[in-house]
Amino acid sequence: MKLIRVDAYEVVVPARPGRVNSEEYGPPIWDMIPKLVVEFHTDDGLVGLGEGPRSSGETTLRSACAQLAGRDLRALCFQEPPLLDLSSHDMFAVANPRRPHRLLERNFNNYDHLAVHVALLDLLGKHTGLPLCALMGGAYRERVAVDTWMGRMTPQDSARICREAQALGFHGAKMKCALEDDNVARAQAIRDACGEQFKLTFDPNHRFYRFAEAAPLVRQLAAVGNLGCVEDPFPKGDLEAYRMLRQLALAPIALHLPYDSILIEAIRTHACDFVNLGGTPWDIKRGGEVCWLAGIPTWHGSGVDLGILEACYLHTAAATKSMWRPCDIFGRTIREHNLITNPMIAQDGSMPVPAGPGLGVELDRDALDRYTKRRFSFNVSG
């Protein structure tokens, strides 16, 4: 099984009007940044689907695929595909040196290469006839808990979004915010519209600033009765502030982290109750297993992505033991389309893991054509 051709599509799928921010906070910007959707064609007729984050582009894709030229994809280490060209690097240019050093063991995964990771895993699943979650060790659950999401909104708009989400089968919402927003009124409006059982995650992206400012606000939010947790209230360099806020026991405190040394330090210092994990599928699974050993529940983060990545997230969450918190997987509730034919619909607070080999999803060709801004193809030979 060798890679012979790559078809790539730079797509822009806008957010639904009125679904992200209230008017006074301005329109979203992230939805206008192109995303990369790829099809990997192999010499045995298989096609693997991949989707990258908003930061990835053609240069990254071509560089990664050059490292796969002529290789039997079945023989790759699918946990860490060889996606970086280190041929001009003084320390790492020599493959399999006679006297290796430990720096050769370091993880060179790059989140920009996520489209390649996902496409390769989809190919392996289609080659073996197994779903992605089976390739990752098997599913702990058939359905994955999910919450909806919104940007910075007024109390009235927040209540409207949550009423709609509750009707669609969601049991909670993650909300962007800042210390300056009317956060208590938002929580009260949602409680009045949806009840206390509809739980909220307040995610200020560090904009609760400092412990002394955040503590009174979190105390007020907790008194409303529908606070699920507070995510990333402070910059991650101030884990002591996280620990102090957590010690107040007003609400669970969450950190959004990759699989790296900060995760270990957060566990060691008891800085959080939950962890929102991001990165490549295997890095998320590794981080999730570390959190499982530490007794910390996790969930899968997202970049408000399209259907290919969301399918990957469902498989990864299903295969990660600690990942029982509601994940950031919203289906087509945020963007106009998710570019796949398979509906991923929340029901009773969860979504099913897609069935079928690999990711278990197919591209919607009409939607792909409609939202593609540029397409390019290249052959891979070797």
Side-chain angles (χ1 to χ4, degrees):
M1 183 171 67
K2 295 182 179 181
L3 181 63
I4 60 172
R5 190 178 87 252
V6 174
D7 296 331
Y9 310 84
E10 287 186 354
V11 301
V12 174
V13 182
R16 296 176 182 274
R19 187 55 186 80
V20 178
N21 295 335
S22 292
E23 184 176 354
E24 47 263 62
Y25 294 111
I29 298 173
W30 51 260
D31 60 333
M32 293 293 103
I33 301 173
K35 284 176 65 68
L36 199 62
V37 173
V38 300
E39 295 178 292
F40 277 19
H41 299 263
T42 66
D43 58 355
D44 52 1
L46 296 177
V47 180
L49 302 179
E51 176 191 332
R54 295 191 294 270
S55 59
S56 63
E58 181 176 355
T59 301
T60 299
L61 177 64
R62 287 182 180 271
S63 174
C65 291
Q67 306 309 305
L68 302 172
R71 303 191 62 171
D72 185 346
L73 301 183
R74 297 171 298 180
L76 292 177
C77 174
F78 278 83
Q79 299 183 68
E80 293 187 25
L83 300 181
L84 293 182
D85 180 4
L86 302 175
S87 60
S88 61
H89 196 295
D90 283 347
M91 287 196 294
F92 305 109
V94 179
N96 299 312
R98 292 183 183 180
R99 300 181 66 179
H101 49 88
R102 276 187 289 173
L103 277 178
L104 287 170
E105 300 169 4
R106 62 184 288 188
N107 184 353
F108 285 107
N109 279 345
N110 186 323
Y111 195 48
D112 283 352
H113 291 146
L114 188 57
V116 179
H117 280 264
V118 173
L120 290 172
L121 288 168
D122 191 33
L123 281 173
L124 183 62
K126 289 172 177 174
H127 176 75
T128 61
L130 295 173
L132 175 53
C133 57
L135 299 177
M136 300 187 74
Y140 288 103
R141 53 194 68 87
E142 295 180 353
R143 300 183 66 88
V144 172
V146 294
D147 272 352
T148 192
W149 178 94
M150 72 180 84
R152 297 173 70 188
M153 287 194 164
T154 63
Q156 296 78 14
D157 286 341
S158 299
R160 170 180 59 82
I161 290 297
C162 289
R163 277 195 304 268
E164 294 172 356
Q166 193 173 47
L168 291 172
F170 291 96
H171 288 178
K174 176 173 172 174
M175 314 193 313
K176 297 297 183 181
C177 57
L179 186 74
E180 297 81 4
D181 298 349
D182 200 352
N183 295 298
V184 176
R186 288 182 79 184
Q188 291 170 337
I190 295 170
R191 179 202 59 195
D192 294 344
C194 302
E196 286 190 4
Q197 75 280 1
F198 192 91
K199 296 299 183 182
L200 305 179
T201 295
F202 280 83
D203 179 12
N205 292 108
H206 313 154
R207 292 173 298 192
F208 283 175
Y209 307 121
R210 290 170 289 274
F211 170 80
E213 296 174 286
L217 171 60
V218 175
R219 192 178 300 277
Q220 294 177 67
L221 290 173
V224 177
N226 57 353
L227 179 59
C229 77
V230 178
E231 178 186 352
D232 283 359
F234 314 117
K236 295 180 178 65
D238 192 2
L239 289 181
E240 177 63 12
Y242 282 84
R243 190 186 64 80
M244 291 168 61
L245 187 60
R246 182 174 180 246
Q247 283 188 326
L248 296 179
L250 299 171
I253 306 302
L255 271 160
H256 190 170
L257 293 171
Y259 175 59
D260 63 12
S261 59
I262 300 178
L263 174 61
I264 304 302
E265 186 66 10
I267 293 172
R268 188 188 68 80
T269 58
H270 302 277
C272 61
D273 298 279
F274 308 140
V275 174
N276 174 5
L277 288 167
T280 65
W282 283 103
D283 277 350
I284 285 174
K285 184 167 174 60
R286 292 185 187 106
E289 296 307 315
V290 170
C291 289
W292 173 260
L293 292 174
I296 297 177
T298 65
W299 80 83
H300 201 307
S302 82
V304 194
D305 299 298
L306 304 172
I308 295 172
L309 271 184
E310 289 204 324
C312 183
Y313 296 163
L314 288 169
H315 282 283
T316 304
T320 304
K321 197 171 186 179
S322 64
M323 202 158 276
W324 58 265
R325 290 284 303 166
C327 296
D328 298 338
I329 304 173
F330 332 107
R332 289 174 58 177
T333 61
I334 308 297
R335 293 184 186 261
E336 291 181 0
H337 208 286
N338 61 5
L339 305 190
I340 62 172
T341 59
N342 315 47
M344 292 193 293
I345 299 171
Q347 186 177 30
D348 196 23
S350 67
M351 286 183 185
V353 180
L359 295 172
V361 296
E362 299 293 335
L363 281 172
D364 184 321
R365 294 290 170 181
D366 291 338
L368 183 65
D369 289 343
R370 185 159 70 252
Y371 293 105
T372 293
K373 301 302 180 182
R374 185 174 79 96
R375 66 187 67 200
F376 57 93
S377 299
F378 57 91
N379 294 326
V380 180
S381 59

